[in-house]
Amino acid sequence: MNWLVTGGAGYIGAHVVRALTEGGENVVVYDDLSTGDAGRVPEGVPLVIGTVLDADLLERTLRDHDIAGVVHIAAKKQVGESVERPLHYYRENVTGLQTLLEAMTATGADRLVFSSSAAVYGMPDVDLVTEDTPCLPMSPYGETKLIGEWLIAAAARAHGLKAAALRYFNVAGAATPELSDSGAYNLIPMVFERLEAGEAPRVFGDDYATPDGTCVRDYIHVQDIATAHLAAARHLAGAPEGTSLVLNIGRGEGSSVREMVDRILKATGNETVVPEVADRRPGDPARVVASADRIRAELGWSARHGLDEMIDSAWQGWRHGHN
Ligand code: WQD
């Protein structure tokens, strides 16, 4: 079957493209290369350079490549930037998805796997976040992902689309150094950046109501994220019209910032460095950990990789990109 992967030249997209091709699916990548890199697209996989706001190019691509399903990963994903540029985020993430759904209904492509985010939950006040935990996003970024889920559910009901929205928790690691995340917007690469600059890594707040006072998150290896997309794509093949799933992708295990920083210091040979405790970062929830029960029940999927694999592979990628 032919799948279009939007954002397939990005960090997560490139891992999804590999999981799909290794799973025997035919893949075409669609990416505007704004943050993606053509070098991440494997040989033999066609790359169409374009934005998801280009309705004509999208429709032509779906027809030319006889696409039956789309994995829609192309999006803007920086929470802080979304607060500064909400209109840009709404256009790229919401109008982009709407344009894609219109092209899909016009061409008959009827399967969609969508990158959603734990950001839809905002500040959940529960031990384990289930898909039924109320969604109260705290940023325009999180809002665009929740609105995206609504758009998809409505299109599934009205037009017989089959869809799965995957709510990623904290993604980390890489399959190979070349595929690693190039930005430093999350905890693990931010610690690498400080270490490289000869500075102590920062812990944003140690007075939260958590066991060690630092924030707790559910870190998941990007290769596990990728195999969840393959499992969702396969599931949709046999699903009835109008199917619209929402699934957390996490490990169901919480790790504190303190624990993560200690592991990173050890993995990079910086055991003697003492992290610096800084102020809380505004908007950070104390604890966000997934219940991964629904995805296990629906797709038979669960994560295989642990924290050390995430940290070691991210470190190899960081060194590869900063030589
Ligand atoms: C993790 C923890 C920080 C850097 C964000 C988005 C989410 C998703 C993933 C996109 C927090 C702490 C960090 C540092 C620290 N994005 N921290 N020192 O905020 O959980 O999630 O990225 O889809 O929607 O909100 O991830 O990696 O930024 O932070 O103490 O130098 O590490 O305060 O508690 P976050 P993160």
Side-chain angles (χ1 to χ4, degrees):
M1 210 202 98
N2 298 339
W3 285 91
L4 187 71
V5 180
T6 73
Y11 160 58
I12 295 173
H15 286 88
V16 170
V17 167
R18 273 158 186 78
L20 288 174
T21 54
E22 284 164 16
E25 307 290 339
N26 295 320
V27 175
V28 175
V29 169
Y30 189 98
D31 200 300
D32 67 2
L33 302 183
S34 58
T35 53
D37 177 355
R40 287 207 187 96
V41 179
E43 219 156 295
V45 171
L47 166 64
V48 178
I49 299 173
T51 153
V52 285
L53 295 164
D54 186 340
D56 291 341
L57 181 62
L58 265 179
E59 206 176 308
R60 209 172 338 123
T61 304
L62 294 176
R63 287 192 204 285
D64 287 353
H65 294 276
D66 198 16
I67 299 292
V70 178
V71 181
H72 181 47
I73 301 176
K76 298 289 148 199
K77 64 166 185 181
Q78 288 176 45
V79 173
E81 187 186 49
S82 80
V83 177
E84 323 252 301
R85 303 183 67 198
L87 304 180
H88 180 60
Y89 271 65
Y90 270 78
R91 189 173 65 241
E92 293 281 336
N93 294 4
V94 178
T95 309
L97 172 60
Q98 183 194 338
T99 308
L100 172 65
L101 288 168
E102 282 165 354
M104 290 176 69
T105 51
T107 62
D110 69 348
R111 297 168 213 179
L112 178 65
V113 181
F114 174 62
S115 294
S116 188
S117 168
V120 300
Y121 296 113
M123 300 259 201
D125 190 17
V126 289
D127 196 37
L128 292 180
V129 179
T130 76
E131 291 81 354
D132 298 323
T133 298
C135 291
L136 290 166
M138 299 281 294
S139 67
Y141 167 72
E143 290 163 14
T144 65
K145 289 294 173 184
L146 185 56
I147 292 170
E149 292 186 5
W150 292 341
L151 260 179
I152 289 165
R157 278 192 297 270
H159 306 299
L161 196 73
K162 309 190 250 185
L166 306 181
R167 292 177 174 166
Y168 310 164
F169 282 64
N170 288 64
V171 188
T176 64
E178 297 75 29
L179 294 185
S180 78
D181 195 0
S182 45
Y185 304 110
N186 297 104
L187 174 63
I188 296 174
M190 283 169 77
V191 171
F192 294 159
E193 195 171 55
R194 297 278 295 186
L195 291 172
E196 195 175 65
E199 294 165 340
R202 285 181 300 181
V203 173
F204 295 144
D206 68 350
D207 57 352
Y208 286 92
T210 58
D212 69 13
T214 69
C215 291
V216 174
R217 296 289 182 272
D218 188 340
Y219 295 89
I220 172 139
H221 199 295
V222 67
Q223 282 184 279
D224 284 324
I225 292 273
T227 59
H229 287 71
L230 175 63
R234 286 182 171 158
H235 177 83
L236 292 180
E241 277 190 9
T243 295
S244 170
L245 294 170
V246 173
L247 301 168
N248 287 340
I249 322 186
R251 286 186 309 136
E253 264 178 54
S255 310
S256 75
V257 171
R258 176 79 67 188
E259 176 190 352
M260 291 298 288
V261 171
D262 286 349
R263 278 178 186 265
I264 298 166
L265 292 176
K266 208 160 150 210
T268 58
N270 287 288
E271 290 94 335
T272 56
V273 172
V274 179
E276 170 191 320
V277 176
D279 288 345
R280 286 183 177 199
R281 198 172 63 175
D284 272 342
R287 176 183 167 93
V288 187
V289 179
S291 159
D293 290 350
R294 189 184 283 181
I295 190 165
R296 194 180 311 115
E298 292 277 354
L299 306 184
W301 173 94
S302 56
R304 293 179 187 281
H305 300 278
L307 290 177
D308 288 332
E309 290 164 277
M310 295 179 220
I311 292 168
D312 290 345
S313 63
W315 178 232
Q316 283 165 26
W318 179 269
R319 285 193 302 181
H320 172 80
H322 293 81
N323 274 335

